[in-house]
Each structure stands twice: as C-alpha cells, then as structure tokens.
Amino acid sequence: MNTGTSADTRSANLGMLGGGQLGRMFVHAAQSLGHRVTVLDPDPASPAAAAADEHLRAAYDDEPALARLAATCEAVSTEFENVPAAALRALAERGCRVAPSADAVAVCQHRLREKQLFVRAGVPCAPHAAIESEADLDTPALDALLPGILKTATLGYDGKGQVGVDSRAALAAAFTSLRCAPCVLEKRLPLAAELSVIVARARSGAIVHLPLQGNVHRDGILAVTEVPAPGLSRATAEAAIAHARRLAETLGYVGVLCVEFFLLADGRLLANEMAPRPHNSGHYSIDACDLSQFDLQVRTLLDLPLPQPRQHSSAVMLNLLGDLWFDAGTGRAREPDWPAVLALPGAHLHLYGKREARRGRKMGHLTVTAAQAGEARHIAGQAAGLLGLPPLPYVPSPSQPPASPTSPPP
Ligand code: ADP
Ligand code: MG
C-alpha cells in the first residue's frame, strides 16, 4: 500500500498531427481528462497549438519533430486528412501507438482506393470510373457517367479539386485544368439529402456510433447539420450505421471515422466519402451528446472504455465561415454580433481563435440545442438571421409552427 504523501498520476502525453480546429477540440477533450497534448503543425498561428501543452512547429514529415513526438508521446492521432500517411507510419515504426493507422488513412486519402473499399465491403456508392491518364478519357463507358463531377483522387476538400462536367469536351478540359492528376469521374446524382455517421472503433473491435447527421452544403462546404436528421426513416438510419460499421471493420480501423452518404429521391443510400478523423458534421456532439466525437477520439487512442454515446438534446449546427466578418452590403470588415447570438437560449458558440477571417475559411460553429427539434430549428433560424446567413433549410412549413422557444416542451 502506498502510504506516502505524493504519487505519480497516470496522465498521458498525446501527440496530434495537424493543428487546425479539429485538433484544438481534441486538445480540449484530452485536457479535460487530465492529459497533455503536443501538436505538430508548421503554422505559428495554429488554433490547436494555441490550446496545446506543446507546439512542434515543423512540417508533418520533419524527421527530428517526428522523433520528438515518438519519444515524448504515448499515442498519436491526426486531425488533418492530408497529413502524409508516411508520417504516421514513421511514428508507428518508432514504437508509438498510432490511431488511425497509416494504412487506413491512406485509403481515406485516395478517392479511388476509398471506392474500392466501398465495393469490397459491399457498401453501395455512386457510379464512377478512374481517370488516371488522357487515354482513360477515350473509354466509351464514360458516356453513362455524364453529366458528372470530376474529382481529384487526392488532396480535395470542401469542394476543392472538383469540376462539374456535362460533355466529353468539358471532361477533357477539366482533366487538363486539374493538371492531369489522377481523378475519379462520378455521375452527378439527384440528391434528396446528405447524411453522415460517425463511428468510433476500439482496438478490441468494440464499435459505437453517434446518431445520424443531416447535412446541407453550400458551394461544396458544409453549412448546416441537424440531428436528428429531419424526415429520416429508421430503416435508412440503421442502414447507414450498418454500412459505416462494416467499413470500419473491413479496414480494421481504430479511432473515429466519419462516413458521408447521399440519399437519393428513390430511397437509395450511397456512400460518398470517408474522413479518418472527427468531422465538421459531428461538432454538434460536443453540446448535444454525453460523449463528443473528440471524447471518442481520446478514448480510442488510449484504449479507454467506449460506452454508446447518448444524444440528450436536439441540435442544429451552423458553420461560421469567414464571410460573416464582412458586411454583405458594403463588403467592409466587421465583427459579427456575438452578444445578440449569445442571448439566444441553447446557443453554444465555438470560435477557433483564427486571427484572420477569409471568405470560405472555417472560423467557428454555432450549435443550438433544445429539448425539441422544432425549437432548435426555430432558434437556429433566428441565429442565422442575426448573423446574416441565408434562411435555414428544413424550416417547418407554416402549418406546423415551431414550438415557442420560451414554452416548456410538451
Ligand atoms: P469534399 O471532399 O470536398 O467534401 P465531396 O465528394 O464530399 O468532396 O463533395 C462535396 C459536395 O459536392 C457533396 O457534399 C455534395 O453536396 C456534392 N457532390 C459530390 N459528389 C456528388 C455527386 N456525385 N452528385 C451530386 N452531388 C455531389
Ligand atoms: Mg465531403
């Protein structure tokens, strides 16, 4: 028995490759369990590094920085899809616990390998073809994929690296404009809704998931997430969760994985893409669930228990892009009216501490929670109005007025 007056604690030092907002929220979750975090990111103004215990300011493939991370950290994760898988591999080879693995990240970083995984796991996805060279443009079968979207196989995000194509000529021009980088041509589909699911898988194979997220994108960037996803059937929700679990299992994945889905008007559910990390559409879980996606990331990294997360409030999340820092009429720089937003009941404001607002840059998010979905939607609509965002999608029709924000739930 230890009868002394001091004892060592079991707090761990964790490493994070990538220093954006996802890393910042991971730091908050890790620190709330008493752990320390070292962030590796070249940006001196990294949002995650501002919150972390240590900042290694170096490139992701910088050998001395990776050596220090391996020497000082018990386990390392990543928050940025484009961190080279080789960096994760180098850390694992140095005996560091790494989750997700380099191999799993490499699949999610490459749209063609990702599609091959969907097929292997029996998860339906959009009709597509690989366009890896100019010779591939001559394939007759491509006609069936037009109109389509040409997407670079690697390094795309938030709609970047994508070109809509309506004809063979447009396809050839788009391939040239993407510098003939390896691409996937996908058929453009009539989307009824976009959904996503976050699963967390432990080293033991145990899997839990967050509820299904309903997402609305504007200009290729996530704009709104609503949970529960409106109008979603139980069968669709169960199918999406089963697909996401199967993908994690097929990959032997450890960590947090987000799978995006398209729901078509005829009810078909197709996997779109995966992110080997927490995801923008999962941010609501911080305020609306008893375990957030970042808590799950910490737990899977450290082999901590993984109970099924429970959603305790309905939630609507609004992404706050840098555009909000510019007056829509005059184009002049301005600070959004945060006091007005913070006065709304159930409004949880998360700003990422970025020093410079740029159009299209993710600066923060606002999650509105409420006991009832209609109430969350109603107050989120008010917040959108105050911020100068477009009116919310999913606003209930006038025949179904939203619950008054001040009235107690029935
Ligand atoms: P990113 O990596 O930029 O998120 P996605 O493949 O998810 O790339 O595409 C971004 C958005 O573009 C999707 O959320 C969806 O709104 C739209 N989109 C992508 N592929 C298709 C498609 N095949 N048909 C219709 N819309 C699509
Ligand atoms: Mg996407």
Side-chain angles (χ1 to χ4, degrees):
M1 200 201 311
N2 180 357
T3 54
T5 53
S6 73
D8 288 342
T9 67
R10 296 291 305 275
S11 74
N13 205 20
L14 304 178
M16 175 49 65
L17 283 184
Q21 61 270 14
L22 299 171
R24 181 179 173 96
M25 290 181 267
F26 170 86
V27 169
H28 293 154
Q31 288 176 339
S32 77
L33 288 184
H35 303 305
R36 292 168 42 84
V37 182
T38 301
V39 165
L40 171 61
D41 191 287
D43 181 2
S46 146
D53 299 273
E54 185 185 356
H55 182 190
L56 294 175
R57 198 180 302 167
Y60 303 124
D61 56 359
D62 181 89
E63 274 298 320
L66 290 172
R68 172 154 175 87
L69 215 54
T72 56
C73 294
E74 253 174 61
V76 178
S77 191
T78 174
E79 61 101 58
F80 179 44
E81 212 164 318
N82 296 330
V83 159
L88 294 171
R89 201 164 285 125
L91 287 166
E93 279 163 8
R94 287 188 156 99
C96 208
R97 230 185 318 168
V98 173
S101 71
D103 289 349
V105 169
V107 171
C108 302
Q109 282 177 337
H110 199 285
R111 286 189 195 275
L112 277 167
R113 285 186 216 140
E114 198 171 58
K115 293 261 196 296
Q116 286 158 2
L117 173 75
F118 294 157
V119 172
R120 190 151 47 93
V123 173
C125 62
H128 63 276
I131 308 284
E132 296 183 281
S133 68
E134 286 189 345
D136 289 337
L137 293 169
D138 298 330
T139 316
L142 296 188
D143 285 332
L145 300 177
L146 295 174
I149 303 176
L150 188 67
K151 304 182 179 180
T152 55
T154 61
L155 301 174
Y157 68 99
D158 288 343
K160 296 186 177 67
Q162 299 193 9
V163 185
V165 291
D166 290 341
S167 64
R168 288 270 182 173
L171 173 61
F175 189 56
T176 307
S177 77
L178 295 171
R179 296 187 192 155
C180 303
C183 284
V184 181
L185 175 64
E186 247 178 67
K187 191 172 174 61
R188 179 180 286 281
L189 301 164
L191 309 186
E194 294 194 61
L195 305 165
S196 57
V197 184
I198 285 160
V199 294
R201 186 168 182 270
R203 252 177 215 89
S204 66
I207 297 194
V208 296
H209 62 87
L210 287 171
L212 217 69
Q213 293 127 202
N215 303 322
V216 175
H217 294 78
R218 278 188 212 111
D219 302 326
I221 306 179
L222 182 69
V224 182
T225 292
E226 184 165 356
V227 190
L232 190 72
S233 74
R234 179 186 279 251
T236 302
E238 283 173 0
I241 291 162
H243 288 333
R245 293 173 69 113
R246 194 152 356 107
L247 290 168
E249 273 157 8
T250 307
L251 264 182
Y253 194 87
V254 178
V256 170
L257 177 74
C258 179
V259 184
E260 293 180 16
F261 292 94
F262 295 146
L263 183 64
L264 307 190
D266 62 9
R268 272 186 303 150
L269 184 69
L270 304 179
N272 170 28
E273 61 169 353
M274 304 187 299
R277 51 168 172 77
H279 190 259
N280 198 164
S281 63
H283 290 353
Y284 77 97
S285 60
I286 297 173
D287 300 302
C289 298
D290 55 10
L291 282 175
S292 77
Q293 59 173 349
F294 303 101
D295 295 328
L296 297 174
Q297 191 179 19
V298 173
R299 286 173 179 239
T300 51
L301 195 54
L302 283 173
D303 296 329
L304 293 170
L306 213 54
Q308 173 61 41
R310 294 178 299 188
Q311 184 178 7
H312 51 70
S313 303
S314 289
V316 176
M317 187 227 48
L318 307 178
N319 243 359
L320 307 176
L321 303 182
D323 307 57
L324 298 185
W325 274 253
F326 299 91
D327 185 88
T330 63
R332 269 203 220 109
R334 58 122 200 233
E335 187 73 16
D337 188 355
W338 301 129
V341 170
L342 290 170
L344 296 171
H348 306 269
L349 178 62
H350 298 258
L351 294 174
Y352 307 144
K354 296 184 182 178
R355 292 187 204 147
E356 197 191 342
R358 291 194 296 270
R359 292 187 190 277
R361 188 179 199 202
K362 290 177 182 170
M363 302 297 291
H365 68 270
L366 180 80
T367 301
V368 176
T369 57
Q372 304 291 327
E375 188 184 342
R377 213 176 289 153
H378 178 68
I379 298 172
Q382 291 180 325
L386 290 169
L387 290 167
L389 286 167
L392 267 198
Y394 301 145
V395 174
S397 64
S399 59
Q400 301 164 290
S404 156
T406 48
S407 65

